[in-house]
């Protein structure tokens, strides 16, 4: 049996190049060596208010983007988290073995709760649900961006604690970060990570942005007070633009220096925009082809659920029995 991979993206906001370079592109690559489960984490998305009709539309949009990026539904399961009930069931069991102190240390919880007057319990429990997503599939590898590293460490701790309390039940997973592009920063503010939920038109490049919009956003990107690229003194804005180019173009550090040292910022931005436009063009064409086929996406999500649910249900059954929870004679 091949080792398993699990990862997910929230159907909130517009998928951006950070999501692609940090996670989605690695998912596509992992299909070669692993049995993969890719989850549209709608239960995570509702930790912030989502307009219901828009959430429904975003779930399909995300499924189409997974396919357009190169996820092959014949090899990998694409499904919605809320469609496989075991996710919430295991999340509760894991909540009961997770000390509150572990969750209070999560930087994403601290940052998100600092922005809100009233903090929902869902934001606090977010990493436990994420642990359930991963552990249900006995995933050995979890390809994510760097912002999820702390949550992955927590998942490992929860799995280890459960295993030591109740006997070996879960595979303890490893994080798979890309070597370049693990944390793409906001184009308007290169000290904050590019995020779907950030407000402002100059912040992110969405995977479905047209070439004119990409060019415009790129030309407005924050740089620094130098006139041209200097690899020794450059600020985070210029470093971020170079990272985007390097990640999309799969260039070595030497190639980057040879191509960009001494280049004026206006030319740098044009060149990065050109690379992003060229790389997104086939993905966008494929996306528009997929969404034009009525019923296709629902079929893909149904097949994904049928592949994911038996695996998840088996793990929940084992975890319940290890914990001593009641099992009736017949399943209804
Ligand atoms: N800027 C990023 N650079 C690299 N990888 C990133 N990821 C997210 N942002 C970057 C990775 O994308 C996957 C999906 O994450 P998500 O659905 O939480 O996306 P988001 O952009 O982080 O969305 P939100 O709604 O804006 O969430 P918050 O506000 O929580 O950041 C993950 O693998 C993530 O690492």
């Amino acid at each position: 049996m091949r080792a398993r991979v699990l990862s997910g993206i929230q159907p909130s906001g517009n998928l951006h190049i950070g999501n692609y370079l940090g996670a989605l592109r690695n998912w596509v690559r992992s299909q070669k060596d692993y049995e993969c489960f890719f989850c549209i984490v709608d239960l995570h998305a509702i930790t912030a208010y989502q307009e219901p009709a828009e959430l429904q539309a975003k779930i399909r949009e995300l499924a189409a983007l997974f396919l357009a990026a190169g996820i092959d539904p014949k090899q990998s399961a694409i499904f919605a988290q809320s469609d496989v009930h075991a996710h919430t069931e295991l999340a509760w069991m894991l909540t009961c073995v997770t000390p509150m102190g572990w969750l209070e240390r999560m930087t994403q919880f601290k940052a998100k709760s600092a922005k809100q007057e009233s903090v929902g319990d869902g934001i606090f429990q977010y990493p436990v649900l994420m642990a359930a997503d991963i552990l249900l599939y006995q995933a050995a590898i979890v390809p994510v961006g760097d912002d999820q590293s702390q949550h992955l460490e927590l998942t490992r701790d929860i799995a280890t604690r459960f295993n030591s309390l109740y006997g070996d039940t879960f595979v303890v997973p490893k994080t798979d970060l890309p070597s370049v592009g693990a944390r793409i920063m906001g184009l308007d503010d290169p000290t904050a990570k590019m995020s779907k939920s950030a407000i402002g038109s100059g912040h992110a490049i969405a995977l479905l942005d047209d070439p004119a919009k990409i060019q415009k956003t790129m030309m407005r990107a924050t740089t620094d007070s130098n006139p041209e690229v200097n690899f020794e003194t450059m600020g985070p804005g210029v470093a971020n633009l170079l990272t985007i180019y390097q990640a999309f173009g799969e260039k070595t550090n030497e190639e980057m220096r040879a191509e960009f040292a001494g280049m004026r910022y206006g030319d740098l931005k044009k060149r990065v925009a050109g690379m992003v436009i060229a790389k997104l063009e086939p993905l966008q064409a494929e996306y528009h082809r997929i969404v034009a086929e009525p019923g296709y996406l629902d079929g893909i999500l149904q097949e994904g659920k049928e592949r994911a649910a038996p695996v998840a249900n088996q793990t929940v059954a084992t975890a319940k029995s290890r914990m001593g929870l009641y099992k009736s004679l017949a399943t209804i």
Side-chain angles (χ1 to χ4, degrees), residues 44 87 90-96 98 103 124-135 151 154-155 158:
H44 277 106
H87 287 252
L90 185 64
W92 175 252
M93 291 186 253
L94 298 183
T95 297
C96 296
T98 306
L103 298 177
F124 190 61
Q125 300 293 343
Y126 183 111
V128 183
L129 179 58
M130 179 167 160
D133 299 340
I134 296 163
L135 301 181
H151 288 164
L154 182 82
T155 299
I158 292 173

mmCIF file of all heavy atoms in Angstrom, residues 44 87 90-96 98 103 124-135 151 154-155 158:
data_model
loop_
_atom_site.group_PDB
_atom_site.id
_atom_site.type_symbol
_atom_site.label_atom_id
_atom_site.label_comp_id
_atom_site.label_asym_id
_atom_site.label_seq_id
_atom_site.Cartn_x
_atom_site.Cartn_y
_atom_site.Cartn_z
ATOM 1 N N HIS A 44 -13.897 24.329 8.180
ATOM 2 C CA HIS A 44 -12.930 25.331 8.638
ATOM 3 C C HIS A 44 -13.347 26.729 8.176
ATOM 4 O O HIS A 44 -13.172 27.708 8.905
ATOM 5 C CB HIS A 44 -11.523 25.018 8.114
ATOM 6 C CG HIS A 44 -10.797 24.019 8.955
ATOM 7 N ND1 HIS A 44 -10.605 22.725 8.565
ATOM 8 C CD2 HIS A 44 -10.221 24.125 10.165
ATOM 9 C CE1 HIS A 44 -9.942 22.075 9.511
ATOM 10 N NE2 HIS A 44 -9.693 22.899 10.492
ATOM 11 N N HIS A 87 -15.151 13.521 10.049
ATOM 12 C CA HIS A 87 -14.266 14.646 10.414
ATOM 13 C C HIS A 87 -14.712 15.290 11.733
ATOM 14 O O HIS A 87 -13.893 15.549 12.609
ATOM 15 C CB HIS A 87 -14.228 15.698 9.294
ATOM 16 C CG HIS A 87 -13.448 15.237 8.107
ATOM 17 N ND1 HIS A 87 -12.214 15.734 7.772
ATOM 18 C CD2 HIS A 87 -13.710 14.269 7.186
ATOM 19 C CE1 HIS A 87 -11.768 15.116 6.687
ATOM 20 N NE2 HIS A 87 -12.658 14.228 6.314
ATOM 21 N N LEU A 90 -14.352 12.625 14.791
ATOM 22 C CA LEU A 90 -12.999 12.469 15.339
ATOM 23 C C LEU A 90 -12.537 13.772 15.994
ATOM 24 O O LEU A 90 -11.824 13.737 17.006
ATOM 25 C CB LEU A 90 -11.999 12.046 14.252
ATOM 26 C CG LEU A 90 -10.604 11.745 14.798
ATOM 27 C CD1 LEU A 90 -10.614 10.544 15.763
ATOM 28 C CD2 LEU A 90 -9.595 11.484 13.688
ATOM 29 N N ALA A 91 -12.954 14.908 15.439
ATOM 30 C CA ALA A 91 -12.529 16.192 16.026
ATOM 31 C C ALA A 91 -12.944 16.254 17.500
ATOM 32 O O ALA A 91 -12.177 16.721 18.345
ATOM 33 C CB ALA A 91 -13.119 17.361 15.237
ATOM 34 N N TRP A 92 -14.162 15.782 17.814
ATOM 35 C CA TRP A 92 -14.588 15.830 19.222
ATOM 36 C C TRP A 92 -13.715 14.923 20.091
ATOM 37 O O TRP A 92 -13.255 15.318 21.166
ATOM 38 C CB TRP A 92 -16.071 15.434 19.372
ATOM 39 C CG TRP A 92 -16.435 15.374 20.825
ATOM 40 C CD1 TRP A 92 -16.684 14.260 21.566
ATOM 41 C CD2 TRP A 92 -16.514 16.493 21.723
ATOM 42 N NE1 TRP A 92 -16.918 14.607 22.868
ATOM 43 C CE2 TRP A 92 -16.829 15.965 23.001
ATOM 44 C CE3 TRP A 92 -16.349 17.863 21.584
ATOM 45 C CZ2 TRP A 92 -16.984 16.776 24.127
ATOM 46 C CZ3 TRP A 92 -16.500 18.670 22.696
ATOM 47 C CH2 TRP A 92 -16.816 18.126 23.958
ATOM 48 N N MET A 93 -13.437 13.723 19.579
ATOM 49 C CA MET A 93 -12.605 12.798 20.368
ATOM 50 C C MET A 93 -11.220 13.404 20.611
ATOM 51 O O MET A 93 -10.680 13.317 21.712
ATOM 52 C CB MET A 93 -12.498 11.453 19.650
ATOM 53 C CG MET A 93 -13.808 10.688 19.636
ATOM 54 S SD MET A 93 -13.577 9.057 18.930
ATOM 55 C CE MET A 93 -14.353 9.275 17.381
ATOM 56 N N LEU A 94 -10.686 14.063 19.596
ATOM 57 C CA LEU A 94 -9.347 14.663 19.752
ATOM 58 C C LEU A 94 -9.398 15.889 20.667
ATOM 59 O O LEU A 94 -8.445 16.147 21.412
ATOM 60 C CB LEU A 94 -8.769 15.042 18.377
ATOM 61 C CG LEU A 94 -8.547 13.892 17.391
ATOM 62 C CD1 LEU A 94 -7.909 14.409 16.099
ATOM 63 C CD2 LEU A 94 -7.667 12.784 17.991
ATOM 64 N N THR A 95 -10.512 16.626 20.614
ATOM 65 C CA THR A 95 -10.673 17.770 21.527
ATOM 66 C C THR A 95 -10.495 17.308 22.972
ATOM 67 O O THR A 95 -9.897 18.000 23.792
ATOM 68 C CB THR A 95 -12.088 18.387 21.347
ATOM 69 O OG1 THR A 95 -12.183 18.888 20.030
ATOM 70 C CG2 THR A 95 -12.339 19.526 22.326
ATOM 71 N N CYS A 96 -11.011 16.112 23.246
ATOM 72 C CA CYS A 96 -10.984 15.608 24.624
ATOM 73 C C CYS A 96 -9.595 15.157 25.073
ATOM 74 O O CYS A 96 -9.385 14.933 26.265
ATOM 75 C CB CYS A 96 -11.995 14.480 24.779
ATOM 76 S SG CYS A 96 -13.667 15.086 24.530
ATOM 77 N N THR A 98 -6.857 17.019 24.002
ATOM 78 C CA THR A 98 -5.984 18.166 23.718
ATOM 79 C C THR A 98 -6.046 19.188 24.855
ATOM 80 O O THR A 98 -7.100 19.756 25.109
ATOM 81 C CB THR A 98 -6.411 18.850 22.399
ATOM 82 O OG1 THR A 98 -6.453 17.870 21.362
ATOM 83 C CG2 THR A 98 -5.456 19.973 22.013
ATOM 84 N N LEU A 103 -3.614 24.796 22.597
ATOM 85 C CA LEU A 103 -4.354 25.606 21.607
ATOM 86 C C LEU A 103 -4.113 27.097 21.832
ATOM 87 O O LEU A 103 -4.057 27.880 20.881
ATOM 88 C CB LEU A 103 -5.847 25.293 21.675
ATOM 89 C CG LEU A 103 -6.230 23.850 21.341
ATOM 90 C CD1 LEU A 103 -7.731 23.639 21.501
ATOM 91 C CD2 LEU A 103 -5.809 23.495 19.923
ATOM 92 N N PHE A 124 -10.793 28.799 17.934
ATOM 93 C CA PHE A 124 -9.941 28.155 18.934
ATOM 94 C C PHE A 124 -9.727 26.670 18.594
ATOM 95 O O PHE A 124 -8.619 26.141 18.677
ATOM 96 C CB PHE A 124 -10.613 28.321 20.301
ATOM 97 C CG PHE A 124 -9.758 27.930 21.461
ATOM 98 C CD1 PHE A 124 -8.553 28.582 21.712
ATOM 99 C CD2 PHE A 124 -10.162 26.924 22.326
ATOM 100 C CE1 PHE A 124 -7.766 28.223 22.792
ATOM 101 C CE2 PHE A 124 -9.377 26.558 23.402
ATOM 102 C CZ PHE A 124 -8.180 27.207 23.635
ATOM 103 N N GLN A 125 -10.825 26.019 18.182
ATOM 104 C CA GLN A 125 -10.776 24.574 17.914
ATOM 105 C C GLN A 125 -10.249 24.234 16.519
ATOM 106 O O GLN A 125 -10.055 23.060 16.192
ATOM 107 C CB GLN A 125 -12.193 23.976 18.042
ATOM 108 C CG GLN A 125 -12.819 24.144 19.394
ATOM 109 C CD GLN A 125 -12.108 23.361 20.471
ATOM 110 O OE1 GLN A 125 -11.349 22.452 20.168
ATOM 111 N NE2 GLN A 125 -12.310 23.733 21.707
ATOM 112 N N TYR A 126 -10.060 25.237 15.694
ATOM 113 C CA TYR A 126 -9.647 25.062 14.289
ATOM 114 C C TYR A 126 -8.524 24.014 14.131
ATOM 115 O O TYR A 126 -8.631 23.083 13.320
ATOM 116 C CB TYR A 126 -9.218 26.438 13.768
ATOM 117 C CG TYR A 126 -8.808 26.548 12.333
ATOM 118 C CD1 TYR A 126 -9.598 27.252 11.419
ATOM 119 C CD2 TYR A 126 -7.615 26.009 11.865
ATOM 120 C CE1 TYR A 126 -9.215 27.384 10.095
ATOM 121 C CE2 TYR A 126 -7.229 26.140 10.554
ATOM 122 C CZ TYR A 126 -8.031 26.832 9.673
ATOM 123 O OH TYR A 126 -7.646 26.964 8.366
ATOM 124 N N PRO A 127 -7.432 24.121 14.919
ATOM 125 C CA PRO A 127 -6.333 23.157 14.702
ATOM 126 C C PRO A 127 -6.695 21.724 15.092
ATOM 127 O O PRO A 127 -6.077 20.790 14.579
ATOM 128 C CB PRO A 127 -5.199 23.676 15.597
ATOM 129 C CG PRO A 127 -5.622 24.991 16.126
ATOM 130 C CD PRO A 127 -7.093 25.143 15.931
ATOM 131 N N VAL A 128 -7.682 21.549 15.989
ATOM 132 C CA VAL A 128 -8.066 20.173 16.360
ATOM 133 C C VAL A 128 -8.832 19.529 15.206
ATOM 134 O O VAL A 128 -8.627 18.360 14.873
ATOM 135 C CB VAL A 128 -8.930 20.152 17.648
ATOM 136 C CG1 VAL A 128 -9.243 18.714 18.034
ATOM 137 C CG2 VAL A 128 -8.232 20.869 18.782
ATOM 138 N N LEU A 129 -9.696 20.324 14.565
ATOM 139 C CA LEU A 129 -10.407 19.814 13.387
ATOM 140 C C LEU A 129 -9.398 19.477 12.284
ATOM 141 O O LEU A 129 -9.521 18.469 11.584
ATOM 142 C CB LEU A 129 -11.429 20.855 12.907
ATOM 143 C CG LEU A 129 -12.250 20.510 11.663
ATOM 144 C CD1 LEU A 129 -13.049 19.224 11.854
ATOM 145 C CD2 LEU A 129 -13.191 21.663 11.298
ATOM 146 N N MET A 130 -8.384 20.310 12.172
ATOM 147 C CA MET A 130 -7.341 20.044 11.164
ATOM 148 C C MET A 130 -6.588 18.746 11.503
ATOM 149 O O MET A 130 -6.281 17.950 10.607
ATOM 150 C CB MET A 130 -6.378 21.239 11.115
ATOM 151 C CG MET A 130 -5.258 21.085 10.152
ATOM 152 S SD MET A 130 -4.440 22.682 9.911
ATOM 153 C CE MET A 130 -2.890 22.106 9.261
ATOM 154 N N ALA A 131 -6.340 18.528 12.785
ATOM 155 C CA ALA A 131 -5.681 17.271 13.188
ATOM 156 C C ALA A 131 -6.562 16.090 12.801
ATOM 157 O O ALA A 131 -6.080 15.071 12.282
ATOM 158 C CB ALA A 131 -5.405 17.280 14.688
ATOM 159 N N ALA A 132 -7.882 16.236 13.020
ATOM 160 C CA ALA A 132 -8.806 15.149 12.659
ATOM 161 C C ALA A 132 -8.751 14.888 11.150
ATOM 162 O O ALA A 132 -8.691 13.733 10.710
ATOM 163 C CB ALA A 132 -10.226 15.501 13.095
ATOM 164 N N ASP A 133 -8.749 15.962 10.344
ATOM 165 C CA ASP A 133 -8.677 15.801 8.876
ATOM 166 C C ASP A 133 -7.507 14.898 8.497
ATOM 167 O O ASP A 133 -7.630 14.004 7.651
ATOM 168 C CB ASP A 133 -8.433 17.151 8.181
ATOM 169 C CG ASP A 133 -9.521 18.170 8.420
ATOM 170 O OD1 ASP A 133 -10.637 17.775 8.801
ATOM 171 O OD2 ASP A 133 -9.241 19.382 8.235
ATOM 172 N N ILE A 134 -6.379 15.180 9.105
ATOM 173 C CA ILE A 134 -5.130 14.505 8.724
ATOM 174 C C ILE A 134 -5.088 13.070 9.266
ATOM 175 O O ILE A 134 -4.797 12.115 8.541
ATOM 176 C CB ILE A 134 -3.923 15.310 9.252
ATOM 177 C CG1 ILE A 134 -3.891 16.690 8.575
ATOM 178 C CG2 ILE A 134 -2.620 14.552 9.057
ATOM 179 C CD1 ILE A 134 -3.018 17.715 9.286
ATOM 180 N N LEU A 135 -5.426 12.934 10.560
ATOM 181 C CA LEU A 135 -5.252 11.629 11.214
ATOM 182 C C LEU A 135 -6.270 10.603 10.718
ATOM 183 O O LEU A 135 -5.983 9.409 10.686
ATOM 184 C CB LEU A 135 -5.332 11.795 12.731
ATOM 185 C CG LEU A 135 -4.277 12.764 13.330
ATOM 186 C CD1 LEU A 135 -4.424 12.852 14.846
ATOM 187 C CD2 LEU A 135 -2.860 12.348 12.960
ATOM 188 N N HIS A 151 0.484 24.296 13.230
ATOM 189 C CA HIS A 151 -0.675 23.407 13.359
ATOM 190 C C HIS A 151 -0.281 21.951 13.108
ATOM 191 O O HIS A 151 -0.828 21.037 13.724
ATOM 192 C CB HIS A 151 -1.782 23.816 12.382
ATOM 193 C CG HIS A 151 -2.480 25.092 12.761
ATOM 194 N ND1 HIS A 151 -3.256 25.811 11.897
ATOM 195 C CD2 HIS A 151 -2.510 25.778 13.928
ATOM 196 C CE1 HIS A 151 -3.746 26.866 12.509
ATOM 197 N NE2 HIS A 151 -3.291 26.885 13.742
ATOM 198 N N LEU A 154 1.262 20.580 16.174
ATOM 199 C CA LEU A 154 0.197 20.268 17.127
ATOM 200 C C LEU A 154 -0.467 18.931 16.761
ATOM 201 O O LEU A 154 -0.752 18.106 17.638
ATOM 202 C CB LEU A 154 -0.853 21.390 17.140
ATOM 203 C CG LEU A 154 -1.974 21.150 18.141
ATOM 204 C CD1 LEU A 154 -1.545 21.566 19.545
ATOM 205 C CD2 LEU A 154 -3.230 21.919 17.758
ATOM 206 N N THR A 155 -0.699 18.724 15.474
ATOM 207 C CA THR A 155 -1.297 17.448 15.025
ATOM 208 C C THR A 155 -0.417 16.276 15.465
ATOM 209 O O THR A 155 -0.915 15.258 15.959
ATOM 210 C CB THR A 155 -1.436 17.443 13.478
ATOM 211 O OG1 THR A 155 -2.302 18.507 13.103
ATOM 212 C CG2 THR A 155 -1.992 16.136 12.967
ATOM 213 N N ILE A 158 -0.897 15.793 19.166
ATOM 214 C CA ILE A 158 -2.196 15.181 19.498
ATOM 215 C C ILE A 158 -2.163 13.682 19.168
ATOM 216 O O ILE A 158 -2.610 12.843 19.960
ATOM 217 C CB ILE A 158 -3.344 15.895 18.731
ATOM 218 C CG1 ILE A 158 -3.524 17.327 19.243
ATOM 219 C CG2 ILE A 158 -4.651 15.118 18.881
ATOM 220 C CD1 ILE A 158 -4.510 18.179 18.433
#
